[in-house]
Amino acid sequence: MKPAEFYQRDRNWHAPALTPAYKTSVARSPRYSLISLENTPSEISGPRFGHNDIDPLDNDLLNNYAKAGESPIGERIIIHGRVLDENARPVPNTLVEIWQANAGGRYRHKKDTYLAPIDPNFGGCGRTMTDAEGYYYFRTVKPGAYPWRNGINDWRPAHVHFSVFGTGFAQRLITQLYFEGDPLIARCPIVQTIPDPAAIDQLTAKLDMNATIPLDTIAYRFDIVLRGRRSTLFENKLEGN
Amino acid sequence: MSNTPKYLKETPSQTAGPYVHIGLAPGAAGFDIYREELGHDIAGPNAAGERIRVEGLVIDGTGAPVKDVLLEAWQANSAGVYAHPESAGDVEEGFSGWGRVITDFATGEWGFDTVKPGATLGRHGQMQAPHINLWIVARGINVGLNTRLYFDDEDNTADPVLNSIEWEHRRATLVAKRTGDTYRFDIRLQGEDETVFFDI
């Protein structure tokens, strides 16, 4: 696939940098405007990963940190979906990484001091490559809500962090998955940095009974959309072409 | 039949949060889980060119170092070629061009070892001065910030991207300063000498 420019990012769809209700953004947001930069080969190229870079079980959080014969405690879920671009074309062979708290809302991180306990059988991270159709899946436990020092009584909705690459460095994306119906979504200052309710809905994974494994694991569907590629090719040949 | 173009919308970004290390650098979070963490070695053992170190701080609007940042680098090899499928075979075996580092929890210092990139082709046949593309995510940053690191011992005067910055004095925020084999590149998120960030 020849490198091509990407559609411009819709900065009104994404959150602005300065969102004072999410307090940490106040001192960490640029005050000057971004300088718009037409794509060059530096932006339309990006790192590639191979199936040899990761282990096949890296996508199974029910097992990738559990002792032999044991499992993490919590609601067993499948998270699955496709990585597409804005033209609805699949993004194959791209790296998807996730991280999350355990069922009680506690992260396995030395900076997390929340009193809910660590689960000895749960690490909380996973990674996988999309297949030829852009499809990915993880097995995990549904994370719990947790409190954070923003407002005095702010709680994050249950969420899973996602990191996705695509084919060009300009597509690089980190986001968060939320779960359908969670009443904390509407109250969360981080979710609400996003101005458009339709954009927030795009981050909300939907219960997917057709993908559940009866008597075993319930499922949620989460499709991810990366920036689309222009149909016109880049005007210059890339170095090395 | 509607002629309205049908496109999907890009998935909105959200902050990487304070525990980004769990997913992308679990060793730093305090546990080992993967056979190998990704992004430790940008250049690999076979890359031609000058071996350099690039390091710095990310500083917030109050002047304090930010100690929970994750940075990713994307660069060409010393001949100015990116490790992209389009140029397969034109970069050294083991050269990925991509790196991932986190800031030190105590000091906020970050750094990576690499080779100095060569000049790359830009738009309209113009050459771009050697540079490293950087992407910065952290708690409090809603959409990852893109910037470029240039080198103070290169001739940057004809670089089309630097020259697209209307405020000439702001171009200096993108130029790393050399001492020995190390380039210093402090990133100021906000305020005096705020680093130039791009909408790429």
Side-chain angles (χ1 to χ4, degrees):
Chain A
M1 203 156 61
K2 283 184 93 65
E5 288 183 65
F6 296 107
Y7 300 145
Q8 288 90 357
R9 189 162 259 168
D10 181 351
R11 296 272 175 181
N12 295 318
W13 180 253
H14 288 277
L18 175 59
T19 48
Y22 174 27
K23 295 182 179 182
T24 314
S25 76
V26 174
R28 295 186 174 191
S29 46
R31 285 295 173 270
Y32 292 122
S33 303
L34 301 177
I35 304 285
S36 292
L37 175 56
E38 291 175 289
N39 284 179
T40 76
S42 305
E43 288 78 36
I44 64 180
S45 61
R48 296 301 176 92
F49 303 92
H51 291 274
N52 292 334
D53 290 322
I54 63 176
D55 287 331
L57 282 181
D58 283 350
N59 70 342
D60 185 359
L61 285 69
L62 295 179
N63 281 306
N64 70 5
Y65 201 77
K67 298 183 198 69
E70 298 187 20
S71 283
I73 290 174
E75 186 177 345
R76 295 162 60 87
I77 62 170
I78 291 164
I79 296 171
H80 76 128
R82 293 176 82 196
V83 180
L84 305 167
D85 72 11
E86 289 169 289
N87 298 311
R89 297 191 188 108
V91 183
N93 302 313
T94 202
L95 180 65
V96 180
E97 299 164 289
I98 66 168
W99 67 101
Q100 63 167 92
N102 68 23
R106 176 72 185 271
Y107 281 98
R108 185 176 288 276
H109 191 292
K110 55 189 175 190
K111 294 283 193 187
D112 188 358
T113 56
Y114 182 34
L115 50 76
I118 289 283
D119 182 333
N121 290 307
F122 190 70
C125 60
R127 55 189 187 178
T128 192
M129 304 280 293
T130 58
D131 71 11
E133 302 302 317
Y135 184 77
Y136 77 90
Y137 70 96
F138 293 95
R139 285 208 312 172
T140 186
V141 294
K142 190 173 177 185
Y146 66 85
W148 57 303
R149 293 182 181 278
N150 188 66
I152 200 66
N153 192 24
D154 278 345
W155 291 73
R156 295 304 321 282
H159 64 279
V160 178
H161 298 264
F162 270 71
S163 164
V164 193
F165 279 81
T167 58
F169 206 51
Q171 286 178 304
R172 195 74 182 84
L173 180 73
I174 279 183
T175 190
Q176 300 183 30
L177 169 159
Y178 304 99
F179 293 91
E180 181 178 9
D182 186 338
L184 289 172
I185 292 173
R187 299 169 181 267
C188 176
I190 289 178
V191 177
Q192 299 302 325
T193 59
I194 297 173
D196 189 329
I200 293 172
D201 186 61
Q202 197 173 354
L203 296 184
T204 307
K206 304 300 185 289
L207 181 66
D208 185 356
M209 292 305 290
N210 285 342
T212 61
I213 303 171
L215 307 177
D216 185 322
T217 309
I218 201 162
Y220 285 86
R221 172 86 184 194
F222 185 59
D223 289 341
I224 297 162
V225 180
L226 302 179
R227 293 168 68 178
R229 294 153 44 89
R230 288 193 194 293
S231 52
T232 51
L233 295 176
F234 192 71
E235 67 202 48
N236 291 318
K237 286 175 70 173
L238 274 180
E239 187 95 345
N241 241 5
Chain B
M1 190 88 177
S2 164
N3 283 322
T4 306
K6 286 197 171 52
Y7 295 109
L8 303 178
K9 293 297 288 184
E10 187 188 9
T11 297
S13 173
Q14 289 263 264
T15 179
Y19 306 129
V20 60
H21 319 87
I22 292 176
L24 306 187
F31 67 111
D32 287 317
I33 183 164
Y34 293 141
R35 168 168 50 86
E36 188 178 352
E37 290 187 17
L38 300 171
H40 278 312
D41 193 355
I42 299 177
N46 304 313
E50 185 185 6
R51 298 274 159 176
I52 61 168
R53 182 168 176 80
V54 176
E55 62 183 29
L57 287 172
V58 178
I59 299 162
D60 74 14
T62 76
V66 181
K67 298 174 180 174
D68 51 12
V69 178
L70 180 117
L71 297 96
E72 289 183 1
W74 173 242
Q75 67 165 84
N77 73 0
S78 63
V81 182
Y82 285 98
H84 198 260
E86 192 70 7
S87 45
D90 292 338
V91 298
E92 299 87 344
E93 176 76 28
F95 178 90
S96 74
W98 175 75
R100 174 184 274 175
V101 294
I102 58 160
T103 47
D104 185 274
F105 289 141
T107 65
E109 288 280 346
W110 57 271
F112 51 83
D113 298 306
T114 184
V115 296
K116 197 173 177 187
T120 56
L121 188 64
R123 300 178 71 91
H124 308 296
Q126 290 179 299
M127 294 307 287
Q128 306 186 93
H131 64 276
I132 298 175
N133 307 285
L134 292 175
W135 184 68
I136 300 150
V137 294
R139 176 170 68 105
I141 296 177
N142 291 326
V143 184
L145 295 168
N146 288 98
T147 189
R148 285 184 171 199
L149 179 157
Y150 288 83
F151 301 91
D152 72 345
D153 56 344
E154 294 286 337
D155 180 4
N156 296 313
T157 54
D159 183 78
V161 168
L162 285 173
N163 288 337
S164 75
I165 302 167
E166 176 185 350
W167 305 275
E168 291 182 32
H169 68 281
R170 296 198 67 205
R171 298 173 190 173
T173 67
L174 300 184
V175 181
K177 293 188 174 46
R178 180 165 197 155
T179 308
D181 294 332
T182 299
Y183 290 89
R184 181 79 191 178
F185 191 67
D186 289 335
I187 296 163
R188 290 179 172 77
L189 296 177
Q190 181 192 106
E192 193 176 353
D193 294 327
E194 182 175 302
T195 299
V196 168
F197 298 105
F198 295 106
D199 187 8
I200 65 172

